[in-house]
Structure formats: structure tokens, C-alpha cells
């Protein structure tokens, strides 16, 4: 596939998926988010892990823990932060105190050959904390070093928002403007965000779906004059640092599920914006022995359809269903562009033609037969799950294995059970905890089963809320930012 490089100590630089070949360092793209040509940043080439390195990393995880493994992986991609500082940032981020156990991402067996990787034991009970906590420390470090401030503009369908706000609370020099789809998140998710009273946190509930909010984030990021004047940064997975942090738990999960590096595993990833599974793609490109990356969607099945047909057909707001796995109610997977860029042999002009031209003109693009034939080499498979599947899976997993799972993880487990193969362990990423989606848990299991929640969140939904409803209008959001950012 020709997209990797050997570990020979070359400087690590980043380029855009849309053809801007300007080589930028990590710290620059950390604060920048989207590339100036509207593309997404990727490393010039993926570092390729040889067998001795993989063996050493297995040992590092077993003897020194997750933070040390994170440092090993991150240091291949970040060479403009001194190694000792980066090591300290990893150690400060990945602690048992924040993630509930020394293992940080323990595996939970479901049945022979099938397990969950627990990614949702951080402060906001979703996998977003795995990367967002690191991002909070990285932003604070880099802004402190430069003596600058940053105004983060984000979009959330339920979990990125609270993870970002919890990670950025009290961080020097950082303000957060978080757009969410008004009325479409669970009561717990809304309360997690809207109950925050911090001055530097602004919750803007947009009249629209997640994709409308994400479109606004991209439009603002593409207004380069505004972006520079108001120092706009991003925390969505369009920011490469988010993805990079997520690469680590694919390695960690692999080491926990296997005894030797000769074994292969597959991962099933409940998917929406394609950030999580794209991190798995990066891990696989680095040489992690992953057989399949299974993309599990809910009824909003744009991605499942793509991997089945080669056509990427985004849906408008009216066609985006409101489901019981609301964080995956996404019809334009912004991160998907990174994978397609790799699939097209890193042809920036073709990627731009598909994403900037065809998609905005017609709302759809279809790969050529030759391009579609390449997908198998990248290990992707896909499946879809519905509300009835979620209820049945939550019930079967609770009654059969005594494990209570959330609605998004249920989408993953349903698809994993369909696609797993004998002899290849299947790891399903647990992307949230059931406490966030109580109504559907009650629908699946009856009113007597309660999802446990941390004592500190017992009264969450009854706390006073601070948020503002706004139209899905880029100019109005920009005006709100002008009104709240001193120049
Ligand atoms: C609980 C949960 N599961 C799955 C997803 C989908 O992940 P991704 O957007 O990285 O595909 C999200 C949102 O991103 C989420 O919050
Ligand atoms: N599901 C996400 C949507 C945003 O995804 P991101 O990974 O790009 O931040 C959410 O819960 O907000």
C-alpha cells in the first residue's frame, strides 16, 4: 500500500488530504484543527512497527502500564515536544484515578472469542474521555509554551461535548463553544453538558441535527480570517490529536486479548463520525495484526452502505433518524475522508474532487470498481443494527452474560456476533456506559433494572442548566463568538 515508513528517525510532518502538501509539525496542527484547504491532516507516512518493537510494546504495557505505552506510540508522531514532557503528559493523563483501574482499558469477556474493551470509565462515561483528557493537557501545555489562548468550537451528538467540557474546565487560556443538536441527546447527556456553570464553557443548542452543527464548525474553520482573528481550534476527531490518542487503545486491547504477536484479532467499532474506527485503521497501517475492522452503524447507515456498495451517499437532516443510539445519529462522517485518501493512494486531487466537489454538488460519490476492489486489503467490514436489535442485544447480554451494555455498544455487539470468525478473537469497543441511556435500558430490561452511575452524578438531571438555543446559522454562531471573545 506504500503509505508507511520505517522507523529511521525522520522528522514527523503532517499534510492535508486535499492536496496542500505544506509540511507542518504536530504542535501546529494540534491548534489548527482543519487544514487551510479544508482537508484533514494526516502524517506524511505511518510509522511501520517491526516485530521487535511490537514485542517491546507488549512488555511495556505489561510492566509499565498504559501511560508508558501511550508515550511509546505518541512519540512516533510528536517530535516537537521534548520526550520527557510528553512522557509526563501521558503519565498525568492515564491514571487509575481518572479511568477507574490500573488497566485503564480492561477487557470484559462476553463469551468465548468475544469481549468488550472498556473505554468508558473516564469522567463522562464515554470513550471520548480516552483522547479528550490528553487533549486538555496538550492544549494547556502548548498554549502555555506559546503564551497564547484558544477558542474551541466543537460539535457534539452527545458525548464529545461533555468529554471536551470536562477536559477543558479550569484549563488556562481555553474557552469552549459547543454546538449540540437541540433536543436530540439523552436527558443524561444534556444535563452533563448544560449543568456546567463555568464561565469558559458555552453550550449552544442548535436547531438541527449533529451534521448541521458539524457543518457550522467546518464553515467557521474554513473562514481563515475569522479563524485566525478569534484563534479557533477544534476538539472533534477532525483534529488529528484526537485520533492519535485513540490509536493507543487498539494496541492495548490487542495485547490484552492475545498471548503472542503471531495472533490476529478483529475489532468491531460502533461508528458515526468514523473517528474511532479510523484510529483502528491507523493502528493496522502501523502493523498491528488486525484481521478485520468492523464498522457497526445504527439506522443511520451511510457507512455500512458504503462498505457494502462503494457509494457514499450522505443524508440531509430530514433523512437522519433520531435513534436510541443518538451519538451515532450522523449522516456525514467527517473523518471518513482520511480513510478514502489512503484508499485512493493518497491522491489529494481525487480526494478533493470527491469530498469538496461531488459530495457538495450531488450529495453522493461512487468509487470506481478498481478503487472499491482495494477495500478488502484494508480489512474493513460493516453491519447495521436497529432499535429492535439494540433492545434484544441488551437483554440477551444482560441475561446471558450478566453484563449491562449501553445502546451504542449494543449496536457493536449485535454486528460482532454476526461477523466474527472462529479462531479470531473479536473485540467490541465499549463506547459508552448504560447510565447515559436509562430510558432504553428500561425498555429492554424493565423498570427494575437500573444502570449504575457514579454517586457524584446521582442528581445530575435536576441541576440548574445553562445553555442557549440558536438557529443552525454560521453567521449567528460567529456573532456569538465575537460577543464572547475579547480581542
Ligand atoms: C457512545 C458513542 N458510540 C459511538 C460513537 C461513534 O464514534 P465515531 O464518531 O468515532 O465513529 C460515538 C460518537 O462519536 C459515541 O459517542
Ligand atoms: N458521536 C460524537 C460526534 C462527534 O464525533 P467526534 O469523534 O468527531 O468528536 C459525539 O458524541 O459528540
Amino acid at each position: 500500500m506504500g503509505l508507511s515508513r520505517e522507523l529511521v528517525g525522520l522528522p514527523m510532518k503532517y499534510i492535508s488530504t486535499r492536496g496542500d502538501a505544506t509540511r507542518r509539525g504536530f504542535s501546529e496542527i494540534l491548534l489548527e484543527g482543519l487544514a487551510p484547504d479544508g482537508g484533514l491532516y494526516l502524517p506524511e507516512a505511518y510509522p511501520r512497527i517491526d516485530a521487535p518493537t511490537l514485542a517491546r510494546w507488549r512488555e511495556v504495557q505489561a510492566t509499565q502500564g498504559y501511560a508508558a505505552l501511550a508515550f511509546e506510540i505518541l512519540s512516533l508522531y510528536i517530535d516537537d515536544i521534548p520526550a520527557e514532557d510528553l512522557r509526563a503528559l501521558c503519565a498525568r493523563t492515564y491514571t487509575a484515578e481518572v479511568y477507574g483501574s490500573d488497566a485503564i482499558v480492561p477487557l470484559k469477556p462476553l463469551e468465548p472469542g468475544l469481549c468488550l474493551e472498556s473505554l468508558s470509565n473516564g469522567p463522562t462515561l464515554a470513550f471520548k474521555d480516552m483522547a479528550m483528557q490528553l487533549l486538555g493537557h496538550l492544549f494547556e501545555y502548548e498554549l502555555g509554551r506559546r503564551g497564547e489562548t484558544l477558542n474551541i468550537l466543537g460539535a457534539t451528538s452527545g458525548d464529545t461535548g461533555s468529554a471536551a467540557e470536562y477536559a477543558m474546565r479550569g484549563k488556562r487560556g481555553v474557552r469552549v463553544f459547543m454546538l449540540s443538536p437541540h433536543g436530540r441527546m439523552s436527558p443524561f447527556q444534556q444535563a452533563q453538558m448544560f449543568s456546567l456553570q463555568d464561565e469558559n464553557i458555552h453550550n449552544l443548542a442548535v436547531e438541527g441535527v449533529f451534521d448541521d452543527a458539524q457543518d457550522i464548525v467546518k464553515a467557521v474553520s474554513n473562514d481563515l480570517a475569522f479563524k485566525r482573528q478569534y484563534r479557533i481550534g477544534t476538539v472533534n476527531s477532525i483534529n488529528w490529536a484526537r485520533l492519535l490518542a485513540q490509536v493507543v487503545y487498539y494496541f492495548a486491547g490487542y495485547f490484552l486479548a492475545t498471548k503472542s504477536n503471531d495472533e490476529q484479532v478483529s475489532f468491531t467499532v460502533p461508528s458515526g463520525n468514523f473517528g474511532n474506527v479510523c484510529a483502528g485503521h491507523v493502528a493496522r497501517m502501523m502493523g498491528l495484526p488486525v484481521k478485520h475492522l468492523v464498522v457497526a452503524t445504527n439506522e443511520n447507515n451511510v457507512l455500512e452502505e458504503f462498505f457494502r456498495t462503494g457509494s457514499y451517499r450522505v443524508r440531509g437532516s430530514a433523512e437522519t433518524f433520531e435513534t436510541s443510539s443518538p451519538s451515532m445519529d450522523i449522516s456525514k462522517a467527517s473523518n471518513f475522508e482520511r480513510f478514502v485518501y489512503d484508499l485512493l493512494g493518497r491522491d489529494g486531487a481525487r480526494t478533493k474532487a470527491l469530498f469538496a466537489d461531488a459530495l457538495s454538488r450531488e450529495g453522493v460519490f461512487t468509487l470506481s470498481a478498481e478503487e472499491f476492489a482495494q477495500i478488502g486489503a484494508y480489512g474493513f467490514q460493516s453491519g447495521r443494527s436497529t432499535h429492535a436489535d439494540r433492545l434484544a442485544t441488551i437483554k440477551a447480554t444482560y441475561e446471558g452474560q450478566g453484563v449491562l451494555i449501553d445502546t451504542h455498544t449494543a449496536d457493536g455487539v449485535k454486528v460482532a456476533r454476526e461477523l466474527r470468525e472462529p479462531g479470531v478473537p473479536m473485540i467490541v469497543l465499549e463506547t459508552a456506559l448504560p447510565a447515559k441511556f436509562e430510558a432504553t435500558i428500561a425498555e429492554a430490561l424493565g423498570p427494575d433494572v437500573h444502570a449504575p452511575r457514579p454517586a457524584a452524578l446521582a442528581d445530575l438531571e435536576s441541576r440548574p442548566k445553562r445553555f442557549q438555543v440558536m438557529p443552525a446559522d454560521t453567521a449567528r454562531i460567529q456573532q456569538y463568538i465575537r460577543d464572547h471573545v475579547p480581542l
Side-chain angles (χ1 to χ4, degrees), residues 120 125-128 156-160 189 210 237 242-243 246 249 269-278 296 303 325-330 333 335 406-409 429-433 436-437:
S120 304
L125 319 189
F127 78 101
K128 308 287 177 176
T156 185
S157 54
D159 295 316
T160 291
Q189 288 176 312
F210 167 78
S237 53
R242 272 278 311 279
L243 228 71
Q246 293 177 198
Y249 54 67
V269 187
S271 292
N273 217 12
F274 205 75
N276 204 0
V277 76
C278 193
L303 294 168
S325 43
S327 304
M328 286 160 45
D329 292 348
I330 298 177
N335 239 292
D406 97 289
T407 51
H408 306 74
T409 309
L429 300 187
E430 180 187 52
T431 54
L433 293 191
K436 297 188 102 163
F437 308 99

Side-chain angles (χ1 to χ4, degrees), residues 204-273:
L204 307 178
V206 166
E207 291 166 321
V209 298
F210 167 78
D211 297 307
D212 298 318
Q214 184 163 245
D215 283 348
I216 294 173
V217 171
K218 288 187 173 173
V220 173
S221 298
N222 284 325
D223 180 343
L224 297 183
F226 183 88
K227 176 174 165 176
R228 293 204 177 110
Q229 186 174 18
Y230 288 94
R231 304 177 304 283
I232 302 294
T234 57
V235 284
N236 283 102
S237 53
I238 52 178
N239 189 323
W240 164 255
R242 272 278 311 279
L243 228 71
L244 175 55
Q246 293 177 198
V247 170
V248 178
Y249 54 67
Y250 283 89
F251 281 88
Y254 172 77
F255 294 138
L256 291 172
T258 56
K259 291 198 168 50
S260 105
N261 295 341
D262 297 330
E263 296 171 55
Q264 280 193 313
V265 303
S266 292
F267 287 91
T268 298
V269 187
S271 292
N273 217 12

Side-chain angles (χ1 to χ4, degrees), residues 368-435:
S368 69
E370 298 79 58
E371 288 164 348
F372 187 54
Q374 296 296 317
I375 287 187
Y378 291 85
F380 278 94
Q381 293 183 329
S382 67
R384 171 177 179 269
S385 162
T386 64
H387 180 68
D389 293 325
R390 281 187 279 288
L391 296 182
T393 306
I394 290 168
K395 190 169 161 56
T397 308
Y398 185 68
E399 290 176 353
Q401 286 84 33
V403 177
L404 190 53
I405 55 176
D406 97 289
T407 51
H408 306 74
T409 309
D411 288 329
V413 171
K414 183 263 178 183
V415 173
R417 285 199 167 115
E418 286 168 355
L419 292 180
R420 71 186 158 138
E421 302 155 281
V424 183
M426 175 65 88
I427 302 173
V428 180
L429 300 187
E430 180 187 52
T431 54
L433 293 191

Side-chain angles (χ1 to χ4, degrees), residues 90-102:
C90 292
R92 206 176 314 147
T93 302
Y94 297 111
T95 65
E97 198 192 353
V98 173
Y99 293 98
S101 73
D102 285 325

